[in-house]
Amino acid sequence: MKYVYLFDKKRMDYDEYLKVVSDMIAKGSRICSKDCLEVGVDAITKIDDFTKRKKMIDASFAIDREFSEPYSNSDNTFKKLPIILTLANMMENHYELVKDLNNKELTLLSFFSFVVNSKYMRDHLKMCADHDVLSSIIEKTPNIYHQLEILGVVEDKFFEFDIDVNNKEELDKFKKESAIFIRSNSEADLLDMVKPVEEVYKELEQEGLHF
């Protein structure tokens, strides 16, 4: 199958990488909020640690492959840009919360988080940036959109149960039970718990995103 990729080689230095991202920014994205764009651009240009830069390139490569569509002439910049800029925010500003995640987990987390305002990102990642929860979802289904919906179910339960993100014992217990819950239920049963799309759009509009 033929795909159009933004990153045509995995081994590139950071200047080459930034050139590709700069071209993406020039194209723009209708689903990339002003907050995501500004915070992401600031973060991606500040990353100077070798390990962080390598993780940025490797995870961006994974994002590029995940969101490229077969037999399409589009490189899907509009979708990939906010995801990569969210990844940059996490790498530069919240590295301690995401440093142990692999590329698949970072891809899912960045996709799920690009609608989150930067002022809420740290608390959001305290809940969502969990290896056990993310890996349990990825093990359940290879479909990134189904993964997104299942992670949304976990977040819904987090708010429903009014979990205190600053109470480590309570938060850790919730995340452990969430991973067990995901592994104990079928993909179909988990997807049945997903919010109606109208409700999701309403929440996104409240965040300033319009479709």
Side-chain angles (χ1 to χ4, degrees), residues 101-119:
L101 301 180
N102 62 36
N103 288 336
K104 287 187 177 181
E105 292 159 0
L106 287 170
T107 296
L108 171 57
L109 182 61
S110 300
F111 184 31
F112 185 72
S113 305
F114 81 84
V115 296
V116 178
N117 188 284
S118 60
K119 65 183 177 181

Side-chain angles (χ1 to χ4, degrees), residues 49-178:
D49 177 81
F50 174 81
T51 300
K52 290 183 184 180
R53 285 185 168 189
K54 186 176 187 307
K55 286 178 77 72
M56 271 301 305
I57 292 172
D58 289 348
S60 295
F61 185 90
I63 290 167
D64 188 27
R65 267 56 185 168
E66 180 64 56
F67 293 99
S68 289
E69 299 175 357
Y71 304 115
S72 170
N73 291 323
S74 171
D75 58 22
N76 261 356
T77 289
F78 86 95
K79 186 176 292 183
K80 297 172 185 177
L81 178 62
I83 298 172
I84 288 173
L85 291 181
T86 299
L87 173 69
N89 179 15
M90 294 191 298
M91 279 292 153
E92 176 62 13
N93 300 317
H94 311 285
Y95 185 66
E96 72 280 6
L97 297 174
V98 302
K99 63 182 181 179
D100 296 323
L101 301 180
N102 62 36
N103 288 336
K104 287 187 177 181
E105 292 159 0
L106 287 170
T107 296
L108 171 57
L109 182 61
S110 300
F111 184 31
F112 185 72
S113 305
F114 81 84
V115 296
V116 178
N117 188 284
S118 60
K119 65 183 177 181
Y120 303 122
M121 187 62 77
R122 180 165 293 275
D123 283 350
H124 168 79
L125 292 178
K126 286 180 181 178
M127 189 278 289
C128 293
D130 182 79
H131 165 72
D132 202 24
V133 171
L134 294 171
S135 63
S136 69
I137 295 171
I138 293 167
E139 290 164 11
K140 185 63 59 176
T141 172
N143 186 309
I144 189 71
Y145 297 96
H146 289 180
Q147 292 172 7
L148 181 80
E149 292 178 317
I150 294 170
L151 185 51
V153 170
V154 175
E155 185 182 53
D156 291 343
K157 294 299 181 185
F158 173 83
F159 290 117
E160 180 183 331
F161 297 152
D162 195 24
I163 303 298
D164 182 357
V165 75
N166 294 311
N167 184 326
K168 187 177 186 305
E169 182 178 355
E170 181 181 10
L171 182 62
D172 287 349
K173 181 174 183 289
F174 170 78
K175 290 189 287 189
K176 182 178 180 179
E177 291 177 349
S178 295

